[in-house]
Amino acid sequence: MKLRHPCYRLRLTFRQQFRCFGTKYSGRVVVEAEDGRSFAVEVDAPTLQADSRGYALPRRDLICKISQILKSPPSASSDPFLDLSDYLDTLTLTLTPSEASEILKNLKSPTLALRFFRFCPSEIPKFRHDCFTYNRILLILSKSSLQNRLDCVREIVDEMERSGISGNISTVNLLIGIFGDGQQGSGLNELTRCLGLVQKWDLRLNCYSYKCMLQAYIRLSNSDKALEVYREMRRRGYRLDIFAYNMLLDALARDQKVDQAYKVFEDMKKWHCEPDEYTYTILIRMTGKLGKPGESLSFFQEMLSKGISPNLMAYNTMIEALAKGRMVDKTIFVFSKMVENSCRPNEFTYSIILNVLAAEGQLGRLDEVVEISKRYMNKPIYAYLVRTLSKLGHANEAHRLFCNMWSFHDGGDRDAFLSMLESLCNSKKVTEAIDLLNKMNEKGVKTDTFMYNTVFSALGKLKQISHLHDLYEKMKLDGPSPDIFTYNILISSFGRAGQVEEALKIFEELENSNCKPDIVSFNSLINCLGKNGDIDEAHVKFIEMQEKGLNPDVVTYSTLIECFGKTEKVEMAYRLFDEMLAAGCYPNIVTYNILLDCLERSGRTSEAVSLYAKLKEQGLTADSITYAILERLQSGSHRTTRVRRQHPITGWVVSPLR
């Protein structure tokens, strides 16, 4: 190599910032020009420093440079690995496995690390991975969230076996940890393979290896194998830590292997591994699920005698065990101790107590529970209790607790108010519901359309039209804006009460509002008009609905067919049925029952039998109403008294005549 320099004697050192070399080179002048303006230098290969075992020490500057190249963002014109190849071509020394391991450690991306791992043996001459580089890439994959992570690990292990590279015990431990998080079937097979690698590589499992195997089998829900590993550890004199003991106890408790769990617990104390609150919680839960609250209480008392302070999980587990045994007094006593020891109850705690009080008919003691935990009774807890009592159907207790919350808290909780409102409406206490709706603003809770709709629906079902009208006027005056559900509920409610003019007025308001009528709006109005005798206007609305681009559904057709059937217009009812089929709207069992009843009542037996055949062809199942109509057809009894019953599924239906 020839260099030009004004100096005659020079020891050359190429700096990294100029030539990007990761290693310093030195040389000596072997040929010099007479004028001194040029000379030749022979460069000596650098001697790499080695550790005490003879392994070359990693070159930190080289590692940093390669890491920098790989971490550089890729672009359309360059690829980091092409840049790396060009850089490595400038070096006379090859990359060592230890340096490759350090570079892998620097790479944050598992995908990038895996690509570099593949790059080294394929692009770097005479490079061969060793056990440590394999361990490094396995460690990276073990922490990654790649979807094909397990497949990549299997490929790497296969490559190790093909290359004749023997792993060490760390390799086995990593593989156990990786496959221990896999699927049940494949995970067990891979763990068996790991044990085979131990024999093939002539290794010996250490204490940490056994712990990894134990945890892997537990994660794969195989407590039998985990117990075998535990016994092997005991035979070899290895000891578990508290974490491993708790995992094993929990696995045995989940599989209801009570005797084995007790034996492990005794071994734990024998080997001077002191149980903690999680250990006792596992045992309390196990005995509680077995219906042995006495044993659960014994474990709880043993925990207290050892000076262990129960946490929230321990208290909840103990309370749950006592509640399952219907031991109300002891449940409340443990709850009081929980509060006394400054352990804040959560919603789960209260739900356990509520359920046992309701089951034992002692909901009156809920006040005692509230008094015990009054320093922890905040709005979310009150809201949860009110909501839960409402769902359980205990409206009176929910209302009493709600009034208690009203007295002690300045601000309200929307969920609690809504739950109380729904509870009052479901229990038909609409006067109290209206009063609550009017007073919400006092507690800073803003009423919304959903709350009004809840009360409207309850009032409509009870046909309390005066209250319905007054509340709607109040809503328009200072409440939230009505939505499509509001208008539909009002139309249906006024129609149910026979207030046709009011229903038409609401429908007109709907058309002039920002909301536009939907198929439910038209169905409600058609039902209102038809059931109140104005069948012609109902048919007009049916045609108007189609003109506005709304396709009638099975409810629309069934309603009109019923209305025409009531007015003895059988031909019109049958024509609508045919039109329904032509429009691709398939009738349901309710539609068939309506038309069958109409045909039977008018004495058109053959047509009724033919219609029943269509019902069977459509694959529908006849119900009790269908069979009642058929029975009348056979007996020839044509009755004219109509009795309406609510269908348990659809909510409306024409009952058979009787």
Side-chain angles (χ1 to χ4, degrees), residues 387-402:
R387 188 166 59 249
T388 305
L389 286 169
S390 300
K391 288 180 179 179
L392 292 174
H394 302 289
N396 293 331
E397 287 78 6
H399 190 250
R400 182 163 48 83
L401 194 64
F402 182 82

Side-chain angles (χ1 to χ4, degrees), residues 16-31:
Q16 183 177 345
Q17 60 265 36
F18 295 132
R19 294 294 303 276
C20 299
F21 283 175
T23 305
K24 293 181 179 180
Y25 293 84
S26 62
R28 58 183 177 276
V29 177
V30 292
V31 177

Side-chain angles (χ1 to χ4, degrees), residues 454-525:
T454 302
V455 182
F456 284 144
S457 181
L459 290 170
K461 290 176 182 176
L462 297 174
K463 298 183 180 181
Q464 297 196 12
I465 301 304
S466 60
H467 288 307
L468 185 69
H469 187 273
D470 293 343
L471 186 62
Y472 178 57
E473 292 300 321
K474 181 181 182 303
M475 181 184 187
K476 291 193 293 184
L477 183 64
D478 56 8
S481 301
D483 60 9
I484 186 64
F485 300 103
T486 311
Y487 290 114
N488 290 345
I489 292 170
L490 292 173
I491 294 169
S492 178
S493 299
F494 284 124
R496 188 183 291 112
Q499 302 282 336
V500 179
E501 293 300 324
E502 287 294 332
L504 286 169
K505 180 181 176 182
I506 296 297
F507 188 83
E508 185 177 348
E509 289 184 19
L510 170 59
E511 289 184 309
N512 295 328
S513 69
N514 294 328
C515 305
K516 296 304 175 185
D518 60 7
I519 191 167
V520 178
S521 312
F522 276 101
N523 286 348
S524 300
L525 186 61

Side-chain angles (χ1 to χ4, degrees), residues 16 20-23 59-72 79-81 83-91 93-96 98-104 106-107 112 116-117 119-120 124 127:
Q16 183 177 345
C20 299
F21 283 175
T23 305
R59 293 163 287 181
R60 298 298 170 188
D61 46 359
L62 177 64
I63 293 170
C64 293
K65 180 59 182 178
I66 294 178
S67 300
Q68 182 182 357
I69 293 173
L70 292 175
K71 290 180 181 179
S72 61
D79 177 46
F81 285 91
D83 296 339
L84 177 59
S85 297
D86 293 339
Y87 171 67
L88 292 175
D89 288 341
T90 65
L91 302 179
L93 291 179
T94 185
L95 194 69
T96 65
S98 60
E99 291 166 344
S101 178
E102 290 296 320
I103 294 168
L104 286 170
N106 291 338
L107 301 178
L112 184 61
F116 175 70
F117 181 82
F119 171 87
C120 290
I124 301 177
F127 183 92

Side-chain angles (χ1 to χ4, degrees), residues 132-146:
F132 300 103
T133 52
Y134 279 111
N135 287 353
R136 179 69 68 185
I137 193 63
L138 288 175
L139 179 62
I140 292 171
L141 290 173
S142 70
K143 297 178 180 179
S144 74
S145 56
L146 297 176

